[in-house]
């Protein structure tokens, strides 16, 4: 499982790893409609999602949570060849494939990735959680790019949409994904990636 390589390099969104041409629209209303980034109380706020916390929640318990959620469907699991790693994938009811969960040892959840419908904005995120510590850009196409917002204390990475490498991050920029990780993988990311310190709303090129 190359999870740690993914985190260390911050290589593109999980749903874009596979080669495809042209790239799919990053803003997709069929993805998970979830506002927990800005509404969750202290009982389950980031990096907790619906009771699942990377590094703490047992894999079997997490699968049960997803299976019992009436708003989710079509969960499938697969094993990583020659390792204990397992992956679960599911989708929102009547929506597209949106979500992944990974365990490296088959016992405990290591990450939860959610591709989100573009219903939340960076302004809402910052009002709820404060400013991110770091940012990193990922180009996708001429008119699509991602700015990753890294929250070390929350063990969370937020994926936001900007209009290509000439676009600008703003309070109105849409959130299109979130990755919850373990404390160990967040620490690894901070040590091995060339992240930029948050300096406010700026252009992608900045």
């Amino acid at each position: 499982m190359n999870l740690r390589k993914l985190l260390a390099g911050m290589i593109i969104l999980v749903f874009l790893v596979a080669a495809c041409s042209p790239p799919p629209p990053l803003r997709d209303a069929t993805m998970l409609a979830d506002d927990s980034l800005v509404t969750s109380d202290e009982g389950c706020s980031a990096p907790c999602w619906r009771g699942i916390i990377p590094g703490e929640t047992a894999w079997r318990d997490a699968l049960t949570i997803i299976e019992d959620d009436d708003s989710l469907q079509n969960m499938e699991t697969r094993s990583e060849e020659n390792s204990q790693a397992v992956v679960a994938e599911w989708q929102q009811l009547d929506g597209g494939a949106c979500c992944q969960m990974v365990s490296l040892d088959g016992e405990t959840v290591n990450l939860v990735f959610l591709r989100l419908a573009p219903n939340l904005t960076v302004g809402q995120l910052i009002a709820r959680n404060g400013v991110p510590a770091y940012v990193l850009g990922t180009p996708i196409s001429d008119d699509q790019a991602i700015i990753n917002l890294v929250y070390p204390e929350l063990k969370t990475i937020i994926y936001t949409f900007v209009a290509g490498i000439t676009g600008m991050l703003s309070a109105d920029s849409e959130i299109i994904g979130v990755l919850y990780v373990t404390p160990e993988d967040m620490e690894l990311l901070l040590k091995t990636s060339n992240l930029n310190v948050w300096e406010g709303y700026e252009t992608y090129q900045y």
Side-chain angles (χ1 to χ4, degrees):
M1 171 64 62
N2 63 355
L3 164 65
R4 290 191 167 86
K5 291 181 181 179
L6 170 67
L7 290 172
M10 285 298 288
I11 311 169
I12 221 162
L13 276 175
V14 175
F15 57 86
L16 291 175
V17 171
C20 54
S21 180
L26 297 182
R27 293 180 288 184
D28 187 341
T30 70
M31 295 296 102
L32 185 67
D34 185 286
D35 62 0
S36 59
L37 279 171
V38 300
T39 61
S40 291
D41 58 26
E42 294 182 0
C44 186
S45 55
C48 175
W49 180 74
R50 302 195 186 186
I52 301 171
I53 305 174
E56 297 184 21
T57 305
W59 179 254
R60 182 172 296 180
D61 293 342
L63 294 180
T64 299
I65 289 172
I66 295 168
E67 288 173 338
D68 290 347
D69 192 323
D70 292 337
S71 69
L72 308 174
Q73 66 178 8
N74 297 336
M75 186 181 71
E76 297 182 357
T77 60
R78 56 185 171 84
S79 301
E80 184 76 6
E81 187 176 357
N82 300 320
S83 80
Q84 296 176 307
V86 287
V87 179
E89 300 176 321
W90 65 93
Q91 64 192 69
Q92 180 172 268
L93 188 65
D94 298 325
C98 61
C99 311
Q100 294 180 326
M101 181 171 65
V102 174
S103 171
L104 295 179
D105 61 6
E107 298 292 334
T108 306
V109 175
N110 285 91
L111 73 78
V112 176
F113 171 77
L114 310 171
R115 187 177 173 192
L116 301 177
N119 299 329
L120 301 178
T121 67
V122 175
Q124 291 174 300
L125 174 73
I126 290 177
R128 174 66 173 78
N129 298 291
V131 300
Y134 303 101
V135 298
L136 183 67
T138 304
I140 304 299
S141 64
D142 290 342
D143 58 354
Q144 297 189 110
I146 296 164
I147 293 182
N148 308 279
L149 308 180
V150 181
Y151 284 83
E153 292 186 1
L154 301 180
K155 315 303 182 289
T156 300
I157 301 161
I158 308 295
Y159 301 94
T160 65
F161 175 88
V162 292
I165 61 173
T166 61
M168 181 169 182
L169 183 71
S170 73
D172 294 326
S173 295
E174 296 149 314
I175 295 171
I176 56 173
V178 57
L179 179 67
Y180 300 118
V181 301
T182 64
E184 294 77 14
D185 282 318
M186 178 57 72
E187 182 178 358
L188 180 66
L189 172 67
L190 298 179
K191 288 181 177 180
T192 58
S193 300
N194 295 320
L195 302 174
N196 304 291
V197 174
W198 169 265
E199 295 185 4
Y201 295 116
E202 297 288 352
T203 65
Y204 177 95
Q205 291 176 326
Y206 179 89

